[in-house]
Amino acid sequence: MFRKASLALAATLIMAGAAWADPIEGNWKTQSGATAAISGGGGAFSITLKSGKFAGKNIGSLRASGANKYAGSITDPETDKTYAGKASLSGASLKMSGCVLGGLICKSQTWRKL
């Protein structure tokens, strides 16, 4: 009886943990077709490429900055240059942007949740 109750409690806690995950966490298809994984917790997230030419490379870090909004730094894997970055989540779409010169020049792309 105790064993069944322990298993039920463990299963409930595992499912509750998944429900508390931030919606930005998970695997995303980038505009170039590579897969990027966003992981973390407590409001801080790391972006790592999982496929493509730069697989395994960390390309950014973000912190929650409001409802479905994130800010931090984004690195262009082609040039290794790091930019001030922002992300905005809307359903299964994540709009990523990186800017230089205080936001005068920005580049953005939209990623899709896998």
Side-chain angles (χ1 to χ4, degrees), residues 43-100:
F45 304 94
S46 176
I47 308 167
T48 304
L49 291 175
K50 294 294 184 184
S51 69
K53 183 178 176 181
F54 300 100
K57 185 172 183 111
N58 183 305
I59 61 163
S61 62
L62 299 170
R63 294 193 70 72
S65 64
N68 295 326
K69 301 217 181 284
Y70 304 86
S73 62
I74 304 292
T75 301
D76 180 347
E78 288 281 341
T79 64
D80 259 347
K81 291 185 179 180
T82 301
Y83 304 94
K86 293 190 285 189
S88 177
L89 182 64
S90 178
S93 296
L94 182 65
K95 184 175 181 183
M96 303 286 289
S97 64
C99 300
V100 294

Side-chain angles (χ1 to χ4, degrees), residues 5-48:
S6 295
L7 290 174
L9 178 61
T12 301
L13 290 174
I14 288 170
M15 286 189 276
W20 290 333
D22 195 285
I24 197 173
E25 291 180 285
N27 292 319
W28 296 85
K29 181 67 75 177
T30 69
Q31 203 162 299
S32 68
T35 299
I38 300 179
S39 59
F45 304 94
S46 176
I47 308 167
T48 304

